Structure formats: C-alpha cells, structure tokens
Amino acid sequence: KIFMSRSTIEPFSISPTTTGIMQSIRLCIAIVWFTFAALYVDATLFGVSPTAASNPSSLQFTRTTLSIMQQLRGGGGADAGDGRKKKDVVPAFRPYLPYTLAIRDSIMIAHSFHGHPSFGPAGGLHGATYTVDVEFASSSLHPECNWVIDIGIASDLVAEVLKKYNYKNLDEVFGEGVMTTTEFMCRVIFDGIVEKLKEKYGEDGDENGFKGWIKVSLWESHKAWASFEGPAL
C-alpha cells in the first residue's frame, strides 16, 4: 500500500504556459470568425447571396463581389472580355481618391415647378440662391506642382459653367415642363464642368491635366442640399 499525506497533494492549477496556449486558441477562433463574418457582409452588401459567398469558386461571387470591392479600393477596372481593361468604362462606385480640391461659388436663380401639386407652394415661380461646391478628387498630385488641379483653372471652369444659369429664370433656360430641382441642377452643372475639362485637356486628358472624380453639391440652405458625382473624363 502506498500512503500519501494530504500535504503532498497540490491543488490543480493552470500554468502560465497553458494559459498562453488557451489565449492563442481563442485568438485563432476570433480571427476565423471575423474572416467569415467579413466575407458574409461583403457578399450581402453587394447583392450576392450568403450561399454564393460561402463558395469562393462561385462565378457570381468572384465577378460581382470581388470586382466591386476592387473598384471601391481604387484598383483594377472593367474587363474588356479579352484580358484587357477598358479605359472608357464608368466605374459603378467612386474609387479611393485621397486628394481633393474644392471650389465654392454661388448662383441666384428663379424657377418654378409648373404648378405641380407635389411641390406645394414651390410649384409657382420663386427665387433661390444656391451655394455651389465642386470637389475635384484625384489619386495623385501633379508631378511638378503638387496640386490636384490648378485652382485658378478650376475656379474659372466653375464660374464659366455657372454664369449660364446665374440671374436666369430656369423655366426659360430649360423650357416648359422641366422640373429644375436641386438634384437636376447638380447633374447639369456636373456635365458642364466635364465638358469644359474636355475642351481644356482633350477627350483623353492631358498628361499632366486633371484626371479624377468630380462631385457637385448645391446647398439650398444649411439644412438641405443635393449632389451628383462621377468621373471627370
């Protein structure tokens, strides 16, 4: 028989080494969980079913989710079908463009919504003063001047487009029946600026000219505004 005194039996305890191993296992489990969670969120946000997201070889998953994520991160482009990238394809989402130059101007206009009942009292002729913000965004700076775009050129371009509408009755500019909402005017001003840029730098863009993204915002007041954005050239 073997006799053991109570004092020779030590209570069970976890050594520091065991604790470290358990913490590492928990960390690995957390990383795996967050990886699958991120995959699920990416898929559902971009219209791919969770079933497709769980199968990375799915054609729908690879062509939809990954291509959109690539555009959002500023890489890649649209596939031309033969391995090349199309230069003239408009991205579905604004890419990552860290540099921005903004120009602020204003216009005073008169317009109506032609008595349309959906606009209430604004359906009749009235005036409005818009603060106009135009943002020029780019992935890099000019190689010599370290700017997004020459601020003088940008100011002149915006002013040139806006003078077509400043102190004008938009009902007369666009004709009867056109609802010249703030959203509509954002798009119109955007198109005008893009056209001026093409005249300045050419259809394909000057080597050192502005090549980036434009966002036009019109502020009706400090409480309400609208915007439109897209590629410059």
Side-chain angles (χ1 to χ4, degrees):
K1 293 183 180 180
I2 300 175
F3 295 94
M4 298 179 64
S5 67
R6 186 183 298 272
S7 61
T8 61
I9 303 176
E10 296 182 358
F12 176 77
S13 63
I14 299 176
S15 68
T17 303
T18 305
T19 302
I21 293 173
M22 293 179 66
Q23 290 177 343
S24 299
I25 292 173
R26 291 194 188 105
L27 179 61
C28 291
I29 292 173
I31 291 173
V32 171
W33 188 90
F34 279 112
T35 300
F36 279 102
L39 186 64
Y40 180 90
V41 170
D42 281 338
T44 53
L45 280 177
F46 301 127
V48 182
S49 68
T51 303
S54 64
N55 180 13
S57 63
S58 167
L59 185 62
Q60 181 187 17
F61 175 76
T62 54
R63 288 189 175 178
T64 304
T65 305
L66 295 181
S67 64
I68 293 176
M69 289 173 64
Q70 190 177 43
Q71 289 185 58
L72 284 169
R73 293 165 182 165
D79 197 335
D82 58 356
R84 294 178 294 107
K85 303 295 181 182
K86 290 183 179 178
K87 295 182 179 180
D88 58 343
V89 174
V90 178
F93 295 88
R94 175 175 176 166
Y96 174 63
L97 301 171
Y99 297 101
T100 303
L101 173 75
I103 300 295
R104 174 164 287 182
D105 209 323
S106 65
I107 55 174
M108 300 177 68
I109 58 95
H111 69 157
S112 76
F113 296 113
H114 314 288
H116 195 290
S118 295
F119 293 92
L125 186 65
H126 61 280
T129 300
Y130 291 119
T131 297
V132 182
D133 287 337
V134 181
E135 298 177 35
F136 299 84
S138 178
S139 60
S140 60
L141 298 178
H142 186 282
E144 180 181 357
C145 300
N146 277 341
W147 60 35
V148 171
I149 184 174
D150 185 328
I151 193 170
I153 291 176
S155 297
D156 291 344
L157 285 175
V158 172
E160 186 71 19
V161 172
L162 294 183
K163 75 177 184 179
K164 182 178 179 180
Y165 312 109
N166 200 22
Y167 297 109
K168 302 289 178 63
N169 183 346
L170 300 184
D171 293 355
E172 298 174 357
V173 174
F174 294 99
E176 187 69 25
V178 177
M179 304 298 182
T180 52
T181 60
T182 307
E183 298 92 325
F184 171 84
M185 290 304 299
C186 286
R187 175 60 189 267
V188 167
I189 293 170
F190 170 89
D191 289 341
I193 293 172
V194 169
E195 191 61 34
K196 292 295 181 183
L197 282 171
K198 288 180 179 179
E199 293 175 6
K200 178 71 178 177
Y201 298 118
E203 288 287 337
D204 297 326
D206 184 82
E207 181 180 353
N208 292 325
F210 176 73
K211 297 182 287 291
W213 197 270
I214 295 175
K215 180 178 181 180
V216 176
S217 298
L218 264 63
W219 298 76
E220 298 187 42
S221 69
H222 68 284
K223 295 173 65 176
W225 67 95
S227 63
F228 183 88
E229 59 185 300
L233 297 173

